[in-house]
Amino acid sequence: MVRLLGPEDRYLSTIEAAYPKVDVHVRGNDVTLGGSADDVAAVCRLIDELQLALRTGHDLGETEVATSARMLAADSSVSPSAQLGGPILTARNKSIRAKSIGQKDYVDAIDDNTIVFGIGPAGTGKTYLAMAKAVRALQNKEVERIILTRPAVEAGERLGFLPGTLTDKIDPYLRPLYDALGEMLDPELIPKLLAAGTIEVAPLAYMRGRTLNASFVVLDEAQNTTPEQMKMFLTRLGFGSKMVITGDVTQIDLPAGTSGLKLVTRVLDGIDDIHFAYLSSADVVRHSLVGRIVDAYTEYDAQKQALRQESAEAREFATRGAQRTPASGRNPKRSST
């Protein structure tokens, strides 16, 4: 019951938010529901699904509860625990698995395609799931090495003012990748794999001139690549390799120019064996507040874009009006003979 209700009864609150017309009361191990027959049946179905998920090894969270409620609301005959599938990777007594339909589609696309782009806001698990798939592929001997890379782009700071050597300056940009590895592999094993070159974590600039065969390659923060860098990276693809490119097009830190991730969605759209997976705030697996923050910024950006468009149209209208209005106060002189 504790695992079903969540810390501080957060999962219970999520159920109540999904079904506001149902009164839910918990006393000991008993759950009492009040409301219309249809609504009560829907909540019973959801609770049964959540119990099944717990019994089959799923780690519940607010996202899983909300996702299961949405799936059952759309089709009461589906089984969310079965739809979301089994674990991608089990490491350090923790199962890593897709926690939303968007994530499940993304993970399936990685299995079915050579190049996959995971595009979505922060907290949707784009990089984390890609790295879990990479570690699993290495463990299953589907690839010989994992290569993790990201562009070292300054986001308001300056690399030159950081202390230490060039490696010391770049390492903080790669730290999120090391942290994710630490959650998926034995910490004592990681230095050995890095030293042997079985796992490589490097800035994007180090990819130039290479051909990456039998590798699982993950490019993180791809919104901060230039079009030239994106082309360079994609053409590193060798035989027996997979590439996953992740990024959030709403958080571009490039000082100027076009994002390579934005451009590539138009250039490579429709090509076989390349898939674009788009995730949204519904796929956020961090604190529930993160999803609301993402939605608020999305709405703000949309309003700002609409205002810019309206202002541009107003200027264009004014310019056309000025061009149609004849100049006043001018009396042309008559020529005299």
Side-chain angles (χ1 to χ4, degrees), residues 11 21 28 40 42 74 86 100 105 111 125 147 162 168 204 209 226 232 236 255 265 268 280 291-292 294 312 328:
Y11 307 162
K21 296 181 180 179
V40 167
S100 70
D105 292 342
D111 288 332
I147 298 175
L162 294 172
D168 295 331
L204 178 60
T226 64
M232 178 274 292
R236 301 307 95 200
T265 59
L268 300 185
S280 68
R292 297 200 289 275
V294 168
S328 59

Side-chain angles (χ1 to χ4, degrees), residues 87 109 134 148 201 205 230 323:
L148 309 173
V201 184
M230 180 62 76
Q323 290 173 346

